[in-house]
Amino acid sequence: MNTTRFVFCLLITLTTSAQQTLDQKVEALLSKMTLQEKIGQMNQYNGFWNFTGPSPDGGDQKIKYDHLANGLVGSMLNVRGVKEVRAVQKIAVEKSRLGIPLIFGFDLIHGYQSVFPIPLAEAASWDLEAIQRSASLSAKEAAVAGINWTFAPMVDVTRDARWGRVMEGAGEDPYLGSLIAAARVDGFQGDDLASPFTIAASAKHFAAYGFAEAGRDYNTVDIGLNTLHNIVLPPFKAAVDAGIKTFMNSFNDLNGIPATADAYLQRDLLKGEWGFDGFVVSDWGSIREMVDHGYAKDRKQAGEMSVLGGSDMDMESSIYVNELEALLEEKKINIAHIDDAVKRILKVKFELGLFDDPYLYCNEELEKQITGSQELVQANLDVAKKSIVLLKNENTILPLKKEGQKIGLIGPLAADKNSPLGNWRIAAVNNSAVSVLEGFQSYKGNKISHAQGVKLVNKVPDGFHEEVQINTTDKTGIEEAIALAKEVDVVVMVLGEYGFQSGEGRSRAFLNLPGFQQELLEKVAEVNPNIVLVVMNGRPLILNWASENIPAIVEAWHLGSQSGHAIAQVLYGDYNPSGKLPMSFPRSVGQLPIYYNHKSTGRPGADGEDMGSVFWSHYGDEKNSPLYPFGYGLSYTQFEYSPLQLSDDIMDKGGSLKASIKLKNTGKFKGKEVVQFYIQDPYASATRPVKELKGFQMVELNPGETKEVSFRITEEQLKFYNARQKWEAESGTFYVFIGSNSAVKEKKAFELR
Ligand code: BGC
């Protein structure tokens, strides 16, 4: 046997025996467990009292404490910080009969205490390395605070900006979304799950939660197999291929079946066809919500349906722990269902190293060293700058001059240190973001003044949790803002959504600038036209008036802890913006859902033009196209695309073609461009989108420099879930496009045969 072969065989043997040992360990433990203990592993509770204080003595909390001590809890969520995690783990490990360690889950949506840009913003960077690093450093910061499992990445494809949760995902494109899903999984889980710096990830929300009707959270989803397989599922599949350890299902029903009980999705597809060997956790209370859905007649039946549907762990419904024993006795479910779920859960705990050391993730020293470290600050600033999208820059008002200018910072969000943190930042310190004002103050050459214009107000919308909102009743600050605008050379207006205005349960029916901000903008523009509008938001907003009347618009999302520095550095030209929109920005709410990869329809037409008839697919009072399309974003420099070249106009199945352009930097600044490659399959067994992203490259060019940028076209890219319910590339014509955003028109054809 030659050496290579020997090493290969050795590797296979080692892998198999390591695998066997893991499976054997799981089996050995399972064989010692009582039925109750098994069910306990399937039960997850929320953190509910101060574990480092006195033990709870009343009601629900007492029950939960007893369950912990008796091995009836497999996981906790929202317990964080070494002190707390250690205290809870101690109960499970020292008091319960088998001492099985708990797994601690937490929503690391965009960072732990150091808050990274919201995921939608990071998606705008199109920088997979930066996104991977953001996840990996967030995992590290959370892991040293006791967390070993995150409910992220959220990989729901989203087409409707009314839905507040678009902020948590990667936007409207399944290809970009798949790459980002894999990058985040890699970032969270790393190469070694048993390292104290990596944690298990969870792809959510399985599935189709992003298609909630009318963008209203938790609403019904009704989509066909074509959309499900071609659009919704690819990022989930990418997460499985990247080795993700867990999945979370979703609140919605999908075509009449609540996702929590959907055996097709969870058993046939995920655990069957895709070979996923991790476990599935329900969403918060989603098992009991099946009663409200009108799908289960009572809690017990909801438990039965969830087990049969493939949900392995019950988050906060307390149904598994209370009902599964009886369901088993009644033979509604069988022991194989329970054993399978428990094995999946135990396996992940073994892989995390928790059986070797239940306190692996509890190290006070590391917690002190790593929380908020410089490494986190730098990575945060880096990805924040990359996430900014320049939407408009007329008369090169940007970048701003660094000296001798009077600059007025106006708007409720200009000095706000809370909103840039966005939603889903449970472990963040309130008011800890660098504000735009602070970012500007760190440059010394200009005179900076500030006026709020529209005030902020503290509210407690859910009865216990305070947040800063933009007031909708008080206009008294507008006069002061106008007076300031009159005196300065340039106005930087910082407007948009307050941090909690997007996120879970934050659907909006209007997508304009909230409150009196539009009025403020128009009044300021009357007295000073030199305005740079910086928009902070968790979702696409409608910016029609600004796009017509304001010379520069910068999309700055909710950029996290380093927000103000990132924005100031971009506005002053120390960083040349390169972000591209991951979601279309609509012209009006009536266009929603709006997305670039739509179908042609039987009556397509030229956008906004008079077709000489009304009988084509359009609005009588609005264009079909978005204000800013998917993939759109400017730079301080300009790029010129040469005509597209194709290496051949025929491609045999199994073969490949090369598509290329030459990209020239014709402007004055060094800059980066995300060159995008799209394909259209204009005629197929099931209708196909008018364009689909199939590749992109980030190219950096000096002024005057030209580079060839090429993409390989393969059969794999042409496959889709077709009318025969198979992933196939169908012979015939295809069009290829290469351009700077999804509205690119120039195309070349080839035949697949
Ligand atoms: C959300 C999930 C989240 C869970 C735990 C639910 O309300 O839908 O995305 O992971 O809460 O916080």
Side-chain angles (χ1 to χ4, degrees):
M1 189 187 289
N2 70 31
T3 334
T4 332
R5 182 104 200 276
F6 173 74
V7 173
F8 178 72
C9 288
L10 187 70
L11 276 176
I12 294 279
T13 323
L14 286 177
T15 328
T16 325
S17 70
Q19 188 57 38
Q20 271 174 355
T21 353
L22 179 59
D23 290 346
Q24 282 165 359
K25 282 180 191 165
V26 169
E27 287 291 349
L29 180 54
L30 190 79
S31 68
K32 293 190 196 126
M33 294 169 78
T34 63
L35 176 60
Q36 274 194 328
E37 284 164 342
K38 288 179 182 177
I39 293 170
Q41 287 303 304
M42 300 167 72
N43 181 30
Q44 184 187 49
Y45 285 143
N46 185 35
F48 44 92
W49 78 88
N50 175 8
F51 293 94
T52 47
S55 287
D57 50 8
D60 201 24
Q61 296 187 359
K62 170 86 170 93
I63 296 173
K64 287 180 172 180
Y65 178 90
D66 289 347
H67 281 180
L68 265 179
N70 292 323
L72 297 184
V73 184
S75 172
M76 297 288 299
L77 75 149
N78 291 335
V79 180
R80 63 190 158 89
V82 168
K83 207 169 154 200
E84 286 234 334
V85 171
R86 185 184 285 283
V88 185
Q89 189 71 297
K90 214 164 141 51
I91 305 173
V93 171
E94 293 183 10
K95 295 224 176 335
S96 73
R97 190 181 72 96
L98 291 171
I100 299 176
L102 299 162
I103 174 173
F104 291 88
F106 187 80
D107 289 286
L108 214 55
I109 307 303
H110 53 120
Y112 184 67
Q113 197 187 98
S114 305
V115 181
F116 280 82
I118 57 167
L120 186 65
E122 285 192 352
S125 75
W126 296 52
D127 187 327
L128 300 173
E129 245 174 69
I131 292 173
Q132 197 250 18
R133 193 162 58 247
S134 155
S136 136
L137 289 173
S138 302
K140 189 170 171 185
E141 200 188 34
V144 299
I147 306 300
N148 36 48
W149 174 27
T150 181
F151 309 125
M154 189 277 223
V155 305
D156 296 317
V157 168
T158 57
R159 295 171 158 182
D160 193 329
R162 288 173 294 186
W163 193 49
R165 301 196 79 169
V166 305
M167 57 136 319
E168 291 173 54
E172 75 193 35
D173 185 62
Y175 173 78
L176 181 61
S178 297
L179 295 181
I180 291 178
R184 287 196 196 281
V185 174
D186 274 1
F188 290 131
Q189 298 193 163
D191 299 331
D192 175 15
L193 207 59
S195 148
F197 301 132
T198 57
I199 61 178
S202 186
K204 69 187 189 186
H205 304 83
F206 198 55
Y209 184 36
F211 281 67
E213 260 181 19
R216 205 182 70 221
D217 207 1
Y218 318 121
N219 203 4
T220 306
V221 177
D222 207 320
I223 56 172
L225 285 180
N226 187 295
T227 300
L228 182 67
H229 284 271
N230 288 308
I231 306 292
V232 171
L233 294 178
F236 288 102
K237 175 68 165 52
V240 172
D241 293 343
I244 198 159
K245 294 295 165 190
T246 78
F247 259 56
M248 181 187 289
N249 54 38
S250 52
F251 290 128
N252 57 285
D253 69 325
L254 173 61
N255 305 330
I257 298 176
T260 306
D262 195 324
Y264 167 67
L265 284 178
Q266 301 184 130
R267 290 207 180 274
D268 301 351
L269 202 63
L270 177 63
K271 295 176 180 173
E273 216 175 289
W274 294 357
F276 170 71
D277 64 355
F279 70 87
V280 180
V281 63
S282 79
D283 203 348
W284 179 292
S286 69
I287 298 182
R288 68 164 177 263
E289 286 178 15
M290 293 205 297
V291 176
D292 289 303
H293 271 293
Y295 189 68
K297 68 173 184 284
D298 53 22
R299 290 170 62 90
K300 188 168 176 186
Q301 194 187 26
E304 172 191 338
M305 289 167 150
S306 310
V307 168
L308 296 179
S311 295
D312 302 309
M313 188 182 275
D314 169 359
M315 181 192 285
E316 269 290 316
S317 284
S318 302
I319 287 183
Y320 282 5
V321 73
N322 292 319
E323 308 288 356
L324 293 199
E325 246 183 290
L327 284 166
L328 192 67
E329 257 167 45
E330 291 163 25
K331 301 203 168 20
K332 292 277 174 37
I333 59 172
N334 63 53
I335 191 68
H337 292 122
I338 293 183
D339 283 352
D340 178 58
V342 177
K343 281 198 266 186
R344 287 169 179 274
I345 295 164
L346 292 178
K347 187 160 155 280
V348 176
K349 291 187 177 182
F350 272 110
E351 288 174 319
L352 282 165
L354 288 168
F355 283 99
D356 297 323
D357 178 4
Y359 306 105
L360 177 68
Y361 299 86
C362 295
N363 179 328
E364 281 85 356
E365 266 318 298
L366 283 177
E367 187 181 29
K368 265 189 230 138
Q369 267 172 39
I370 288 170
T371 310
S373 70
Q374 266 311 303
E375 188 187 24
L376 277 152
V377 172
Q378 286 316 319
N380 213 319
L381 179 58
D382 175 67
V383 69
K385 289 188 284 196
K386 290 175 171 165
S387 304
I388 291 174
V389 185
L390 180 63
L391 295 177
K392 186 177 175 192
N393 190 18
E394 234 168 40
N395 316 323
T396 51
I397 180 168
L398 287 172
L400 299 172
K401 295 193 189 79
K402 285 187 181 157
E403 287 187 352
Q405 300 272 293
K406 282 190 273 176
I407 296 185
L409 283 187
I410 295 179
L413 304 177
D416 185 10
K417 293 171 66 61
N418 215 27
S419 292
L421 299 174
N423 205 336
W424 286 115
R425 26 62 87 85
I426 304 167
V429 176
N430 270 338
N431 293 307
S432 61
V434 177
S435 70
V436 181
L437 179 61
E438 288 166 326
F440 267 79
Q441 282 165 343
S442 67
Y443 285 80
K444 302 291 175 208
N446 288 328
K447 182 172 181 293
I448 310 295
S449 318
H450 165 242
Q452 245 187 344
V454 172
K455 292 175 189 156
L456 293 169
V457 59
N458 284 351
K459 291 240 167 96
V460 188
D462 53 9
F464 67 97
H465 153 257
E466 186 175 281
E467 60 189 46
V468 178
Q469 299 190 352
I470 294 166
N471 94 78
T472 47
T473 50
D474 179 0
K475 291 194 200 184
T476 52
I478 295 186
E479 283 313 311
E480 185 201 359
I482 294 173
L484 173 62
K486 281 182 184 160
E487 283 170 19
V488 295
D489 302 306
V490 181
V491 178
V492 174
M493 299 211 61
V494 190
L495 308 178
E497 296 187 308
Y498 60 86
F500 286 104
Q501 202 149 11
S502 45
E504 186 178 346
R506 313 284 175 141
S507 296
R508 291 182 62 198
F510 300 94
L511 294 178
N512 46 331
L513 293 169
F516 301 115
Q517 295 183 94
Q518 181 65 30
E519 184 178 334
L520 174 69
L521 179 63
E522 292 182 24
K523 288 201 165 141
V524 168
E526 273 169 25
V527 300
N528 190 338
N530 291 330
I531 297 181
V532 177
L533 170 62
V534 174
V535 196
M536 281 189 185
N537 44 352
R539 51 152 72 84
L541 293 179
I542 291 170
L543 301 170
N544 300 343
W545 189 90
S547 83
E548 272 169 33
N549 296 286
I550 301 297
I553 308 178
V554 175
E555 173 52 65
W557 317 104
H558 292 136
L559 283 182
S561 307
Q562 294 299 309
S563 179
H565 287 318
I567 293 168
Q569 289 179 24
V570 164
L571 265 54
Y572 276 127
D574 285 336
Y575 186 86
N576 187 356
S578 53
K580 301 274 190 176
L581 296 178
M583 267 186 95
S584 308
F585 272 43
R587 296 174 194 274
S588 61
V589 171
Q591 291 181 310
L592 296 174
I594 189 165
Y595 46 96
Y596 83 95
N597 48 355
H598 58 83
K599 303 288 185 70
S600 159
T601 80
R603 295 190 177 191
D607 191 38
E609 280 164 36
D610 184 359
M611 300 286 288
S613 133
V614 293
F615 302 112
W616 61 287
S617 180
H618 75 301
Y619 303 100
D621 51 3
E622 185 57 280
K623 286 185 171 184
N624 285 1
S625 64
L627 180 63
Y628 298 114
F630 171 83
Y632 176 84
L634 305 173
S635 163
Y636 293 151
T637 198
Q638 287 79 42
F639 295 102
E640 194 181 274
Y641 282 70
S642 73
L644 167 62
Q645 303 291 326
L646 264 188
S647 57
D648 204 336
D649 53 11
I650 290 182
M651 181 173 131
D652 291 321
K653 286 204 171 163
S656 72
L657 292 183
K658 181 177 138 185
S660 59
I661 52 104
K662 289 207 176 74
L663 183 73
K664 181 170 186 192
N665 181 344
T666 57
K668 296 199 189 84
F669 299 84
K670 183 177 182 174
K672 282 189 287 186
E673 165 77 340
V674 180
V675 178
Q676 298 158 42
F677 158 57
Y678 296 88
I679 278 187
Q680 182 190 8
D681 183 353
Y683 164 75
S685 68
T687 57
R688 305 290 297 125
V690 296
K691 232 174 245 163
E692 289 177 290
L693 183 72
K694 292 292 175 182
F696 60 89
Q697 282 176 46
M698 177 110 52
V699 184
E700 184 161 35
L701 295 177
N702 287 313
E705 196 184 347
T706 303
K707 257 189 205 159
E708 187 190 87
V709 185
S710 66
F711 296 91
R712 191 123 299 272
I713 307 173
T714 64
E715 188 186 339
E716 203 50 40
Q717 291 163 343
L718 310 178
K719 289 187 177 165
F720 73 108
Y721 188 84
N722 66 12
R724 288 181 293 281
Q725 301 182 1
K726 293 222 164 66
W727 280 90
E728 287 174 333
E730 297 180 354
S731 304
T733 305
F734 287 83
Y735 295 118
V736 182
F737 310 73
I738 297 182
S740 77
N741 64 62
S742 63
V744 51
K745 291 215 163 56
E746 195 210 330
K747 61 185 180 190
K748 277 248 154 77
F750 72 89
E751 289 291 314
L752 177 74
R753 58 173 195 197

